[in-house]
């Protein structure tokens, strides 16, 4: 994937399919999709929650008190407001979160972890860390792991910053 590859013009579907940058991004996307499936399935089997619910538990855990608005949850997960509401409804029914009045704005509502949500986040995270080590880190050479994690952080932040804010 040298400078020459970046300057070469793609003129056929075959060249497009074999382009080093297209292949590299496809591998990244494929690895992410497969890992999400493997790790998400383990969380579902062991903890009874979807990977998306787990992500929301982590977002709420990171936010702490007083909680987060539905809009903030939707933006963190790139969900529509309706999608975020339906997800939080299911999580509330499961006893993982609760909605409370926003102390800053009496008309607004915030979402907080319940004790069961906190316990589930901890249990799922312990399992998740073991699976990340097994499926995400162990296949990589030990000398590359820290740099790879840092590069992923940079890519994630660049992609986040390029996204428009959801209405």
């Amino acid at each position: 994937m040298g400078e020459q590859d970046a300057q070469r013009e793609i003129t056929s579907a075959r060249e497009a399919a074999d382009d080093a940058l297209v292949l590299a991004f496809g591998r990244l996307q494929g690895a992410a999709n497969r890992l999400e499936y493997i790790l998400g399935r383990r969380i579902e089997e062991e903890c009874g929650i979807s990977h998306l619910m787990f992500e929301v538990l982590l977002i709420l855990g990171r936010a702490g008190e007083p909680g987060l608005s539905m809009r903030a949850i939707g933006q963190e997960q790139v969900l529509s407001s309706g999608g975020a509401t339906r997800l939080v409804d299911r999580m509330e029914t499961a006893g993982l979160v609760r909605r409370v009045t926003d102390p800053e704005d009496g008309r607004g509502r915030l979402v907080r972890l319940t004790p069961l949500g906190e316990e589930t986040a901890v249990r799922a995270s312990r399992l998740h860390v073991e699976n990340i080590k097994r499926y995400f880190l162990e296949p990589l050479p030990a000398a590359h792991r820290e740099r790879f994690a840092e590069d992923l952080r940079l890519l994630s932040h660049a992609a986040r910053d390029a996204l428009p804010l959801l209405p």
Side-chain angles (χ1 to χ4, degrees), residues 6-111:
Q7 294 176 2
R8 187 170 45 102
E9 185 177 331
I10 296 171
T11 59
S12 71
R14 176 66 182 233
E15 287 177 1
D18 291 338
D19 183 81
L21 290 175
V22 171
L23 285 169
F25 185 77
R27 289 181 185 122
L28 173 67
Q29 196 169 32
N33 290 341
R34 289 178 195 101
L35 286 168
E36 182 176 10
Y37 177 81
I38 291 166
L39 276 66
R41 187 171 171 102
R42 291 297 314 267
I43 288 171
E44 225 170 292
E45 290 169 351
E46 299 288 326
C47 303
I49 60 170
S50 70
H51 190 243
L52 186 55
M53 285 181 179
F54 175 59
E55 291 291 329
V56 171
L57 292 176
L58 294 177
I59 290 166
L60 292 171
R62 192 174 300 119
E65 295 295 330
L68 287 176
S69 68
M70 294 297 294
R71 179 184 173 111
I73 292 169
Q75 286 179 338
E76 282 287 326
Q77 282 300 312
V78 193
L79 294 169
S80 67
S81 61
T85 298
R86 286 187 298 276
L87 178 63
V88 170
D89 286 347
R90 288 194 308 272
M91 292 177 74
E92 192 170 33
T93 299
L96 300 170
V97 299
R98 64 186 173 103
R99 289 179 172 100
V100 297
T101 302
D102 184 343
E104 304 281 320
D105 173 8
R107 296 169 297 156
R109 305 281 282 163
L110 298 175
V111 180

Side-chain angles (χ1 to χ4, degrees), residues 140-159:
L140 298 174
H144 297 189
R145 293 172 185 168
E146 194 173 313
R147 179 65 208 199
F148 184 68
E150 175 60 18
D151 288 345
L152 287 175
R153 186 188 68 75
L154 292 172
L155 283 173
S156 177
H157 287 190

Side-chain angles (χ1 to χ4, degrees), residues 131-145:
N131 285 320
I132 289 169
K133 288 176 185 174
R134 179 177 178 193
Y135 296 105
F136 183 74
L137 290 182
E138 286 178 10
L140 298 174
H144 297 189
R145 293 172 185 168

